[in-house]
Amino acid sequence: MKTKIYPLKNFTLTRMICCMLVMLWLNPLKINAQQDKKILDALKYNELKEQGKLTGNEQFVHYESNIKNPLKITSPLNRVQTGGNCDCWIQRDTSWQIVPFDGVLALPPDYRNDDYSSDTIVLPFSFCFYNSPVNNVFINNNGNISIGSAFSTYTATPFPNIQYEMIAPLWSDVDTRNLTSGLVYYKLTPQYLIIQWDSVGYFNTMADKLNSYQLIISNGLSEVIPHGNNISFCYRDMQWTTGSASGGINGFGGTPATAGVNKGDGTNYLQLGLFDQPGAAYDGPFGSNDGIDALDNQYFYFNVCDSAINIAPIIHASEICDTVTIYVGDSIFLDADYLSPEAGQITTISYITNAPSGVSVVSNTTGNTASIVLRFLGQVTNLGYNAVQFTGTDNGVPPKSSASDLVVNVINVPIGIQEIAVEQFSIYPNPANENIHVRFNTPDMKNISVTLTDQLGKTVYHEAVDESNSRNELVISSARLSKGIYFLTVKDDKQSTVKRIEVIHP
């Protein structure tokens, strides 16, 4: 009797068909529905995030990504789920781009998304990061840039943290999918990289509160960051801290947002604070959780090139602008805070001035957060420009110092509160309560701009007047302004005129 022999190729073909059927049963969307699977994966991730069911082991792969290492979804350590900018903001022009976040739902031209990151941004300059040269970074939607890997981690942790090599002006759960949310922009030059999170919302697709902040990293030589530093944080109006997937309710509470820099080695880091509430409460980098309004119009700069652990104190004062203008008989308080970014360090503040008179110390305290308040009285003896320099020095080894300068300009032109209308414009009422009315005394409304600054030189309002304004009048709400003296500047192609106005509230 002959044994029947089946051809090997028929057996192989049969086994291949069986394997394909099993694969189709296990993953019916994989074949002929690749695009549907991508969308399903993104929606599933969003669903798990909303429910707080991400374990920290997920790998959220961007199918079109050129990133070799997929974006890591990590849970925070000890995760607990619960129910004056002094012109630091760089105005955007056509040289800026929207950050091209790489992901299924982050589509051009706006790249609106929740947790995506850019592909590698190759730097045309060398960025010194704790004695290591960095030539590329990732821009992460959630308020930070990272080195080595992209991170979509949306729940922040305090620094130091060995999981992340990160620079974070505000590590928080940014979500720009709401069409009323702003976007994330960047500009890359031969000497520096600027990223702006401009009027961005929070998870889950909320835009009732918006944050605006900016990060710059440089080669340490560019004048875009002062005093030879290589990182700056700049904040405008800050309104929220926490998304709902991190325990936030209406933008606050839950796990706080983190501002700072982290090497990822457990040793080299700096922290500005942890933010989880409205208001301006702030007690330093390592005290209680802070209010997000403490960052409004603030500007921080520092140098993280040195890995000798000790970082120089960080200036924390929106009031320190280039020039402050006061009149003879007026007085102004100049205050500055210096943060010791390392826990346990003590900083002291000194000052020098060329003003021959009129300067007195109201308070000067040392600590992990050091503060100084000076009173400057405008006098005939200190007319003109008076330089004031603050210096904060820590007790690290070796000690480090950082300085900040300003100028007080004393003018001998006492102007009363009852203003007399000038040729270019008039303002009323003065003092103002709810609204400031600016009346233009010219038929030509072209190229007119209006700027309102406080006594400390900080811009609180700016607008280019519409030349089609038929009433020749601009109304500025003063409801959110603090009581005090302000300076209103009207500028056109021919002249610039400044008038003083007082804001009062009942």
Side-chain angles (χ1 to χ4, degrees):
M1 185 177 71
K2 295 182 179 180
T3 302
K4 189 173 182 179
I5 300 177
Y6 293 93
L8 181 61
K9 65 178 182 179
N10 290 341
F11 172 76
T12 302
L13 179 61
T14 301
R15 189 168 73 173
M16 290 176 62
I17 292 173
C18 291
C19 290
M20 291 178 65
L21 290 172
V22 171
M23 290 174 64
L24 283 170
W25 176 75
L26 290 174
N27 194 355
L29 296 176
K30 185 70 176 180
I31 296 179
N32 295 328
Q34 185 67 33
Q35 182 64 29
D36 290 340
K37 182 176 188 303
K38 295 177 190 176
I39 296 173
L40 178 63
D41 283 351
L43 294 176
K44 185 64 175 177
Y45 164 74
N46 200 60
E47 178 184 340
L48 292 174
K49 177 178 175 180
E50 178 69 32
Q51 296 173 356
K53 293 182 180 180
L54 293 178
T55 65
N57 298 318
E58 295 85 0
Q59 295 285 332
F60 187 42
V61 180
H62 293 177
Y63 291 96
E64 284 94 2
S65 177
N66 295 321
I67 302 175
K68 295 182 180 179
N69 299 319
L71 210 136
K72 179 67 174 175
I73 308 294
T74 56
S75 296
L77 301 177
N78 302 318
R79 179 179 179 184
V80 177
Q81 287 287 357
T82 62
N85 63 22
C86 303
D87 297 326
C88 64
W89 186 265
I90 308 297
Q91 296 300 320
R92 293 193 302 273
D93 56 25
T94 56
S95 64
W96 290 69
Q97 302 178 57
I98 297 174
V99 176
F101 291 113
D102 182 73
V104 178
L105 300 181
L107 301 175
D110 288 348
Y111 294 97
R112 293 185 179 276
N113 76 100
D114 178 21
D115 293 320
Y116 292 108
S117 299
S118 70
D119 282 337
T120 302
I121 303 294
V122 178
L123 304 177
F125 57 90
S126 180
F127 169 62
C128 183
F129 193 62
Y130 295 106
N131 275 351
S132 297
V134 172
N135 298 306
N136 57 80
V137 297
F138 297 91
I139 301 175
N140 303 312
N141 189 60
N142 288 328
N144 62 78
I145 66 173
S146 55
I147 299 166
S149 298
F151 291 110
S152 70
T153 310
Y154 51 86
T155 302
T157 70
F159 293 154
N161 186 320
I162 60 173
Q163 290 181 283
Y164 308 102
E165 197 165 4
M166 177 184 292
I167 301 168
L170 193 73
W171 180 12
S172 54
D173 197 356
V174 175
D175 188 344
T176 62
R177 293 173 296 171
N178 189 310
L179 295 181
T180 60
S181 167
L183 302 169
V184 186
Y185 303 86
Y186 81 109
K187 177 178 180 177
L188 186 61
T189 79
Q191 290 189 313
Y192 56 85
L193 168 67
I194 314 176
I195 306 103
Q196 289 182 350
W197 290 262
D198 191 359
S199 302
V200 294
Y202 59 98
F203 187 83
N204 186 2
T205 63
M206 300 300 294
D208 60 312
K209 302 177 183 70
L210 302 170
N211 284 343
S212 294
Y213 50 98
Q214 171 185 280
L215 165 65
I216 305 178
I217 63 173
S218 79
N219 59 3
L221 302 175
S222 171
E223 294 181 357
V224 72
I225 304 177
H227 296 288
N229 293 279
N230 66 350
I231 294 180
S232 78
F233 293 170
C234 174
Y235 301 89
R236 301 185 95 178
D237 190 18
M238 304 294 288
Q239 300 178 353
W240 64 269
T241 65
T242 315
S244 61
S246 304
I249 299 176
N250 295 325
F252 299 108
T255 304
T258 301
V261 178
N262 189 62
K263 171 63 175 170
D265 57 6
T267 301
N268 291 290
Y269 71 98
L270 65 88
Q271 181 169 284
L272 299 183
L274 303 175
F275 302 88
D276 67 354
Q277 57 194 278
Y282 185 81
D283 60 357
F286 304 101
S288 302
N289 293 345
D290 304 303
I292 194 63
D293 295 312
L295 293 178
D296 284 352
N297 301 315
Q298 297 294 309
Y299 180 24
F300 302 89
Y301 50 85
F302 27 85
N303 193 317
V304 297
C305 186
D306 188 4
S307 64
I309 299 177
N310 187 26
I311 299 291
I314 301 170
I315 182 69
H316 171 240
S318 64
E319 293 84 358
I320 306 303
C321 295
D322 290 339
T323 302
V324 181
T325 301
I326 63 174
Y327 295 89
V328 170
D330 285 345
S331 64
I332 193 169
F333 291 97
L334 309 174
D335 64 295
D337 298 335
Y338 280 84
L339 313 181
S340 308
E342 295 90 4
Q345 282 193 349
I346 301 298
T347 291
T348 59
I349 303 176
S350 60
Y351 81 95
I352 58 174
T353 179
N354 67 344
S357 63
V359 182
S360 58
V361 178
V362 177
S363 64
N364 191 354
T365 60
T366 63
N368 190 253
T369 298
S371 301
I372 188 171
V373 179
L374 301 182
R375 180 175 183 263
F376 197 109
L377 175 62
Q379 300 175 331
V380 174
T381 53
N382 57 26
L383 283 173
Y385 293 95
N386 303 269
V388 179
Q389 182 181 78
F390 294 105
T391 301
T393 304
D394 65 26
N395 63 344
V397 181
K400 293 288 185 70
S401 297
S402 54
S404 184
D405 308 309
L406 76 154
V407 174
V408 179
N409 183 21
V410 180
I411 300 175
N412 192 18
V413 184
I415 300 177
I417 294 303
Q418 297 301 321
E419 295 283 359
I420 301 174
V422 297
E423 183 178 356
Q424 191 183 22
F425 72 98
S426 58
I427 51 178
Y428 68 92
N430 193 3
N433 187 355
E434 296 182 355
N435 294 306
I436 301 170
H437 295 258
V438 184
R439 182 71 179 179
F440 302 99
N441 303 320
T442 174
D444 186 0
M445 297 291 291
K446 291 183 178 179
N447 302 324
I448 293 179
S449 65
V450 175
T451 303
L452 189 67
T453 58
D454 62 16
Q455 283 186 282
L456 301 173
K458 182 171 68 177
T459 298
V460 296
Y461 176 88
H462 177 80
E463 182 172 345
V465 181
D466 187 350
E467 63 182 71
S468 63
N469 188 325
S470 60
R471 296 184 59 204
N472 282 32
E473 184 172 293
L474 178 69
V475 179
I476 304 172
S477 173
S478 57
R480 296 186 62 184
L481 299 177
S482 301
K483 293 182 181 180
I485 301 298
Y486 293 83
F487 299 94
L488 193 144
T489 302
V490 172
K491 183 179 181 181
D492 59 20
D493 291 334
K494 298 179 181 179
Q495 61 180 322
S496 178
T497 305
V498 182
K499 297 192 67 179
R500 190 172 72 163
I501 185 169
E502 184 181 15
V503 172
I504 60 173
H505 295 297

